[in-house]
Amino acid sequence: MRPIPARDKLTVCFAHVAYRLGERFALRNTGLDWFEVRSPDDLKARIAQADVLLCSGLWRNDLIPRAPRLAFVQSISAGTDQYSRGALAEAGIRVASAQGANERAVAEHAIALILALARKIPEARDNQAAKNWRGMIGEIARREDELGGKTLLIVGLGRIGSRLATLAKAFDMKVIGCRRDVSRGAGAADRVVGEEGLLAVLPEADFVALTCPLTPATENLIDAKALAAMKPSACLVNVARGKVVNEPALFEALGRNAIAGAALDCVWQEPLPAQSALWSVPNLLITPHTAGETQRYEDNVIDLLLENLERLWRGETALKNQFV
């Protein structure tokens, strides 16, 4: 692996279109040299000056040959599918994710989406915009509902999924977890099944929440077969990655009310194109991949960065959340 320069020789690059990483980093008074870029072109032009890079959506693997000094990438995101592990390892560049920096935020966003679907908050907002006072509903199945006693199936029982399980239990929900390694424990979940048991437990769920990473095993995990296994009254919530869900299959299932509704914080193509049919699906709630965003997020990531830099300066070989 490439050596990390001493403190007085180190230059950090913050690369993000919106996050105020430089502004928050300056308040730490670390004495480290840094600069900030906000576009792919600016990152490409200046990456040769960086020893350490904080990046997520602006990362492109073709930047590697342009970065002769780069020794460490601290990803701003928990997701890591944009990074070529092989190419980075061959170049001797360490990479660590921001796993854990947003576990509370994403879990809270997931429970907010579940509540929004159960309490029909999007419909209420639409009625407010239309100045329509909706009357009381006689048909029981069309009313708002309570979470207590409902079953939540969490696909991906890592840090975010485990936190979501704890929140769900506070609403008196029954929680089933689905994870690759069932031996790692249930935590707050009432029961845990392996990935091979997903189809068998889908019919039990009133809500299915996706909190798993995107891997070859989870791409298109929720396909037409999985959606057909869900109850017609069930709802799907995705705060993982867009490609965990087969979008055409979901669009078709929602269109014929094969499931009651869905909430997506992530989609196949981001930003979601204006011409996408998903915008107009009445029983679909969309948030623009903001589950992990909070007023504290920059500081959470900077905490990870500084901890990993200290480990490197001490000569340690293992970094927090390192995957390359």
Side-chain angles (χ1 to χ4, degrees), residues 19 56 96 171 203:
Y19 287 157
S56 58
F171 286 92

Side-chain angles (χ1 to χ4, degrees), residues 14-18 36-46 58:
F14 299 107
H16 198 277
V17 296
E36 192 165 41
V37 297
R38 298 203 174 276
S39 72
D41 288 343
D42 287 344
L43 178 57
K44 185 182 293 186
R46 299 195 64 186
L58 293 182

Side-chain angles (χ1 to χ4, degrees), residues 116 119-134 144:
R119 302 303 305 170
K120 300 188 182 297
I121 301 301
E123 294 94 323
R125 184 67 178 185
D126 290 344
N127 283 331
Q128 180 182 345
K131 300 180 181 178
N132 174 45
W133 186 273
R134 191 206 72 189
E144 292 85 351

